[in-house]
Amino acid sequence: MIRPFGWNEFELILFAVRWTIVLAVMAFVGGGIGGLIVALLRTSDSRVLRVATIAFIRVFQGTPLLMQLFLAYFGMTILGFSVNPLVAAMVALTAHASAYLGEIWRGCIEAVPSGQSEAATALGLRYFNRMRCVVLPQAARIAVPPTVGFLVQLLKETSLASIIGFVELTRQAQIIDSVTFRPFLVFSIVAAIYFAMCWPLSLAARRLERKFAQATAR
Amino acid sequence: MPSILKKGAALFLGLGLMAGLTTMAAQAADALQAIKSKGTVKIGMLVDFPPYGLMNEQNKPDGYDADVAKALAEEMGVKLQLVPVTGPNRIPYLLSGQVDLLVASLGITPARAKKVDFSEPYAAITIGVYGKDDVKISKPEELAGKTIAVARASTQDTAVTKVAPKSTNIRRFDSDAAALQALISGQVPLLGCSNVCYVTIQKLAPGKYNKKFELSSQVQGVAVKPGEKDLLAWVNQFIDKAKSDGKLDKINQKWLGEPMPAILKKSSQ
């Protein structure tokens, strides 16, 4: 029952990247929006909002992504909601990434000296403009390395979505491995493909950092 | 790295879900009618368990299970939708209603029979301990102090774990392919696997490995949600027919190169 590993098998693995990319983009976009909201709520003046956000972060940082995916899909179905796996993955990945990015960005916002915020207030800037024009641009500069580090990790974590039926890169490789029995070859290819996706991200981050450094160099 | 956690976690959660689900069984009285009126039957099958379940060159589910599923849908007169499932998530897929039936090489065991309802067997596998020619053992007690590879959460995992002495080092891998690779690359001297898997070993490394002893004869059944009696009765009738009109024999010949094993011929009920 063995099949040789040929071009066709290679193509199947390469093609499975589309799900990895879809999942990663969903997680990046959802997590980016959710993370910004979490970071802002977490640094807000209202105690209620802060506590609620901390609870959200604790729950989603403290439970494995695999469980979140599993519960979002099978759990919801049992509760009587029919969820499509794509929606379940989007919900779980967004919540997961929001919790982590929120905390990363909270740290970056708090790293901006409070004098900046106070000076902006003294100039008559309200919350929205204070954040948009003064605090967030400075925080963004600090945020690049940890954010990219997390995104690269998240891209690889999308392989967990195979538990709810996505045949993405890693799962496809397992399936191909089960008929070709060439694990070293199969998983080396997979590692190379992940690397080819992660490395450009890291490169882009380096460039962004350099740009920021130039912009603020004295 | 995360996969030990991954599968363990999935199983753990799966069991939790199942406990909650038994209460839902009552509402499932006319499952057969529901499938017929939908016009499509959703059948879960493994795709990493050749020759029972695999992805063919066109990347479509294929294999023994796929052929049984196709025959079943045809007999029922509805369209077939094959849903690829994995070992650890197949029972959650069934119990949460994502699939109507499992034709997923699910070995009939008493523990599983508490969670799902099994049909009569439609396939059989013998499970044994295989290993290098120079490893001289012939019974489970002699596994003491030895290392043996199995696929995690599989029937062979359960069987080996049950009979092996405490000092046996059982190494669990994600799939039969990975466990088999551990044997062939020399990481482990012994492997708990099926006769089907042994066919593969013989192809990869002819004459170097032999069967040490048999653990069990495992029959596999179609699984339905607990309490779906009419659906189960229909499936049993379908399997009986496939056995007597030679359809199942043909599927055995096609995928295993052997006639239908004797253990399937006698009806289990």
Side-chain angles (χ1 to χ4, degrees):
Chain A
M1 214 37 246
I2 317 176
R3 198 160 91 197
F5 189 94
W7 183 246
N8 182 43
E9 280 67 32
F10 177 73
E11 267 185 353
L12 289 175
I13 291 179
L14 197 61
F15 212 49
V17 167
R18 70 191 188 282
W19 278 118
T20 299
I21 292 174
V22 166
L23 290 166
V25 167
M26 266 177 4
F28 288 5
V29 173
I33 296 167
L36 186 62
I37 295 171
V38 168
L40 291 175
L41 292 179
R42 182 78 173 74
T43 53
S44 83
D45 294 333
S46 153
R47 202 182 126 76
V48 179
L49 285 180
R50 279 205 313 272
V51 169
T53 322
I54 291 172
F56 172 83
I57 292 167
R58 291 286 175 273
V59 168
F60 283 93
Q61 283 197 349
T63 54
L65 178 58
L66 184 80
M67 304 291 179
Q68 293 161 15
L69 285 162
F70 194 94
L71 287 176
Y73 188 52
F74 295 112
M76 294 293 272
T77 315
I78 284 173
L79 292 178
F81 305 97
S82 156
V83 234
N84 136 343
L86 200 64
V87 175
M90 189 156 73
V91 170
L93 287 169
T94 298
H96 176 80
S98 302
Y100 276 93
L101 286 176
E103 271 302 76
I104 292 172
W105 292 345
R106 192 252 316 173
C108 298
I109 289 173
E110 288 178 350
V112 176
S114 57
Q116 295 283 324
S117 192
E118 285 161 15
T121 313
L123 288 172
L125 290 180
R126 289 282 178 88
Y127 179 79
F128 181 75
N129 281 324
R130 201 163 70 220
M131 279 297 171
R132 191 172 71 103
C133 304
V134 178
V135 178
L136 290 184
Q138 298 186 66
R141 192 161 61 97
I142 318 169
V144 174
T147 304
V148 171
F150 175 73
L151 291 186
V152 165
Q153 199 187 330
L154 188 60
L155 191 142
K156 290 178 282 185
E157 277 189 327
T158 56
S159 66
L160 293 177
S162 64
I163 191 76
I164 57 173
F166 284 101
V167 183
E168 41 60 65
L169 190 49
T170 303
R171 179 72 194 139
Q172 180 68 280
Q174 287 171 347
I175 293 170
I176 297 285
D177 177 38
S178 74
V179 281
T180 59
F181 287 91
R182 302 285 300 276
F184 295 113
L185 179 64
V186 169
F187 291 112
S188 304
I189 291 173
V190 168
I193 296 175
Y194 273 115
F195 184 77
M197 289 189 285
C198 293
W199 198 38
L201 269 177
S202 307
L203 278 184
R206 282 280 302 278
R207 283 191 55 179
L208 200 60
E209 268 183 75
R210 226 174 286 143
K211 264 194 168 166
F212 274 138
Q214 274 166 8
T216 54
R218 298 169 199 226
Chain B
M1 164 266 313
S3 62
I4 295 178
L5 282 173
K6 192 166 145 182
K7 303 241 156 131
L11 272 180
F12 175 75
L13 259 175
L15 290 173
L17 286 178
M18 287 165 215
L21 271 166
T22 39
T23 48
M24 290 172 63
Q27 70 192 50
D30 45 6
L32 178 62
Q33 212 43 54
I35 294 170
K36 279 185 174 163
S37 58
K38 261 191 312 179
T40 308
V41 60
K42 284 202 254 178
I43 297 184
M45 64 171 278
L46 299 179
V47 291
D48 55 0
F49 190 58
Y52 291 91
L54 57 116
M55 285 298 207
N56 64 17
E57 280 87 346
Q58 286 77 46
N59 209 29
K60 294 272 180 303
D62 204 352
Y64 188 110
D65 288 351
D67 281 357
V68 171
K70 276 172 205 158
L72 190 149
E74 200 176 300
E75 181 81 16
M76 202 182 263
V78 293
K79 273 203 291 197
L80 171 65
Q81 185 186 346
L82 285 173
V83 180
V85 298
T86 65
N89 76 12
R90 56 191 164 180
I91 291 180
Y93 257 87
L94 177 70
L95 295 184
S96 66
Q98 309 281 0
V99 297
D100 301 313
L101 297 162
L102 284 179
V103 186
S105 301
L106 198 60
I108 302 177
T109 64
R112 285 184 183 141
K114 285 181 193 149
K115 309 293 176 199
V116 300
D117 283 356
F118 278 110
S119 72
E120 282 178 33
Y122 73 94
I125 294 181
T126 58
I127 289 163
V129 170
Y130 298 82
K132 281 211 190 93
D133 282 344
D134 57 8
V135 182
K136 300 264 176 286
I137 63 168
S138 59
K139 51 181 184 289
E141 293 73 44
E142 290 168 356
L143 284 172
K146 302 239 172 19
T147 302
I148 180 166
V150 291
R152 183 179 305 114
S154 61
T155 312
Q156 51 270 34
D157 185 356
T158 319
V160 168
T161 309
K162 195 171 146 201
V163 301
K166 275 213 167 56
S167 62
T168 311
N169 178 12
I170 303 174
R171 297 206 25 212
R172 297 180 174 83
F173 292 84
D174 265 2
S175 62
D176 274 322
L180 192 155
Q181 193 62 39
L183 176 77
I184 287 179
S185 64
Q187 289 173 18
V188 294
L190 294 164
L191 171 68
C193 75
S194 63
N195 54 336
V196 178
C197 185
Y198 183 58
V199 173
T200 309
I201 298 178
Q202 287 292 50
K203 275 189 203 156
L204 286 172
K208 283 165 93 176
Y209 302 93
N210 65 8
K211 185 173 185 173
K212 304 302 179 192
F213 53 89
E214 193 168 308
L215 287 165
S216 61
S217 248
Q218 177 69 55
V219 289
Q220 294 138 278
V222 176
V224 303
K225 258 186 267 182
E228 295 184 344
K229 293 214 168 52
D230 59 335
L231 183 58
L232 188 64
W234 185 92
V235 171
N236 277 332
Q237 181 205 325
F238 158 76
I239 291 173
D240 270 344
K241 196 175 156 210
K243 281 177 185 171
S244 57
D245 70 6
K247 209 178 266 167
L248 206 57
D249 194 50
K250 224 185 263 170
I251 295 175
N252 271 276
Q253 290 285 3
K254 178 176 167 190
W255 292 105
L256 301 168
E258 300 171 331
M260 186 170 77
I263 190 167
L264 289 183
K265 282 181 184 136
K266 54 177 191 318
S267 178
S268 65
Q269 263 91 24

